[in-house]
Amino acid sequence: MVEHTINATQAVVTLDVALPGIIWGWMITLNMWAKSIGTGVVFVAAYLLYRHKKDAMPNLRWAMPVISFVALNVFLLFTLVDLHQPYRMVNIFLHPHWTSAITVGAWMASLFTLLITILMVIGLADQFTEYFKRGCRVAPVKSLMSFAGSNSGTYEKIFPFVVFLAIPVTAYTAIIMAESSARELWQAPTEVMQMIWAALMAGSAALILVSGSWSQEARKDLALILSIAVFFSFAMYMGEYFFSFKSSEAEATLAYVHAGGAYNVEFWFGMALGFIAPFFLATSTMKNDNVTLLRFAAILALVGLYLAKDVWLKIPQMLPLS
Amino acid sequence: MKLGFLVDLNLCMGCKGCEIACKVENDVPLSSWRLRVKYIDIGTFPDTSRSFTPLRCNHCENAPCERICPVSALHYLENGIVNVDSHRCIGCAGCMMACPYGAIYMDPETNTADKCTYCAHRIESGMMPACVVVCPVEANIFGDVEDDHSHISQYIMAHQGGVQVRKPEKHTDPKHYYVGGGTYTLDPLAHQRLEGHNLFTNITHLEHNGDPNHGVLDRFLAPFTSHGTHDNKSFMNFDNTHEQEGGH
Ligand code: SF4
Ligand code: SF4
């Protein structure tokens, strides 16, 4: 009885300093989201090239590296802009600390972007040969493109290496999260798989947007990859949200979503919009090849993925650490 | 040599002398703290007690902040101190994600990470950390935990069974010990942080990390421009009336 009348166990902070709020905010969400597209298109393209003839996807050879290049540059830009001392980014290359996944990731992502740039230049040179020969008036671009065109075979030689490198470039963010000992929610083994599913989801969604001229079979494969990726990613989010074994810190973190409020709305909105809806839309297009509907599913998946990542990034930062 | 701290919470009376001494010694800007003393009230009026817990960097032997720092701005010294080189720091805030004790802040004047260094500069010239010198009840005990005859080692041995560290489950191996602490004082999840329950202030979250007067563009322009009219040292510019959560 006494425990109800005298709350001897109640403890309240009565004097303390203000704690930091959300430190890694929307720029890091955007950074992770863009990286998922940048590496995801490479995985999905590799699978499609293995399964189908090149003629079935006429623009894939140049569109894939162009999408990846743009996404990777968004990723690199926001990585840089988020630094409080952006010019000192160079220290990662001058004074690398190899136990840090941030260092290893920055080196790998830079190499990956370089290789993607080569693929893009060759892809564009081969696709728009006539333009670069006659239409283009900028001399350095002209000579670069003619050089790239004459080394067209390099594309196929480095592509397997790019696919291989895309795996650690996708996964290293999960290792940064695992190294973030103050945010236990991120330290789950599921995080690596979530990164890979996110890449497949974003990669297939991005390619769907440029697949208008592709064969029905190739597009069907894209719809299938998108459906599988959103299904498993959703299942993992649900597992983590409801059932998994959780430390007290992870439990307290999830309370920010469980308890309702803005993060609850954002999370469930993201789940419904980016995972549940695209699953049904994408599977339904597999039979009738409705391109518009599939594109709609792809856009929803990209928006939903951003929202889910945003919630997962921010909520652990709300927790008081000391 | 492995330098360590021990705070006897039975002695601490919450005067905040150490907090001020640290601020003065290390020129810690407004809205930032290397060492703070937290008050926690336990129980329900009139059956209440108040505890005081000084909190600083633990100088972990297995420090996650050192591991994640991409440029080794955070590094170990030979005496066990986890030091920070603010001239090398790129301001990625990785260390703020890694330190399980929230011991690191983004300095609003330099826009780089900073934290308690156990006053490494004083140790180098044979002095004690400023907070140790100032404590009127000698609740802060500092010394070499590898030397069996040091005051801190003797204190640990004399209080066997009653010596604790914060969050031992994180395997950080802190070199900062507490005597007289309990779950309520050492575990931040065991007490509530309620808006409006603070004695002198109702801020629970900082509005900014790093320089509040420097937006993203300013960070790029910083080397070419002066600091402008804003100065974080000015009390007139410090607005402590905000209640919402911190932003980016
Ligand atoms: S308490 Fe935090 S800042 Fe200090 S050494 Fe440990 S992890 Fe690093
Ligand atoms: S903010 Fe500075 S000290 Fe902290 S991890 Fe990044 S570079 Fe290292």
Side-chain angles (χ1 to χ4, degrees), chain A residues 5-28 77 80-93 95-103 176 179-184 186-187 248-249 252 263 317-322, chain B residues 16 33 36 38-44 47 50 64 66-72 86-94 96-102 106 110-112 166-167 170 184 188-189 191-193 197-200 203-206 209 216 219-220 223-224 245-248:
Chain A
T5 50
I6 297 179
N7 196 353
T9 56
Q10 175 169 304
V12 181
V13 177
T14 41
L15 183 61
D16 196 10
V17 302
L19 300 179
I22 288 162
I23 301 161
W24 281 358
W26 66 269
M27 284 194 232
I28 302 291
L77 175 72
L80 184 73
V81 165
D82 195 60
L83 298 181
H84 284 77
Q85 293 288 347
Y87 291 117
R88 294 193 195 166
M89 174 80 170
V90 69
N91 282 353
I92 292 193
F93 302 99
H95 306 284
H97 186 215
W98 296 111
T99 62
S100 168
I102 300 176
T103 307
I176 295 179
E179 283 190 342
S180 299
S181 311
R183 323 286 171 195
E184 281 187 0
W186 300 344
Q187 292 190 294
S248 52
E249 270 187 21
Y263 290 108
Q317 299 180 54
M318 315 274 292
L319 207 66
L321 297 173
S322 57
Chain B
K16 288 177 171 275
W33 300 266
R36 62 189 224 255
K38 183 168 161 184
Y39 289 19
I40 300 164
D41 287 9
I42 301 165
T44 312
D47 302 304
R50 175 164 294 166
E66 188 273 346
R67 194 159 46 245
I68 204 171
C69 180
V71 294
S72 301
S86 56
H87 294 291
R88 187 179 280 191
C89 170
I90 63 173
C92 67
M96 296 178 82
M97 297 296 138
C99 170
Y101 310 97
M106 198 57 72
T110 61
N111 254 339
T112 57
R166 284 187 283 157
K167 302 187 185 175
K170 298 269 187 181
Y184 289 124
L189 296 183
H191 46 251
Q192 292 171 283
R193 247 187 121 79
H197 269 66
N198 275 0
L199 291 179
F200 306 123
I203 306 173
T204 55
H205 281 99
L206 276 174
N209 296 289
V216 166
R219 292 178 195 169
F220 284 91
F224 314 108
E245 285 156 21
H248 199 68

Side-chain angles (χ1 to χ4, degrees), chain B residues 159-218:
Chain B
H159 292 82
Q160 255 189 33
V163 181
Q164 287 171 291
V165 294
R166 284 187 283 157
K167 302 187 185 175
E169 72 280 3
K170 298 269 187 181
H171 306 294
T172 51
D173 202 356
K175 290 290 159 281
H176 188 291
Y177 308 92
Y178 291 93
V179 164
T183 308
Y184 289 124
T185 46
L186 300 182
D187 178 359
L189 296 183
H191 46 251
Q192 292 171 283
R193 247 187 121 79
L194 301 175
E195 193 71 67
H197 269 66
N198 275 0
L199 291 179
F200 306 123
T201 163
N202 54 6
I203 306 173
T204 55
H205 281 99
L206 276 174
E207 272 235 309
H208 57 84
N209 296 289
D211 192 333
N213 305 318
H214 271 203
V216 166
L217 266 184
D218 299 310

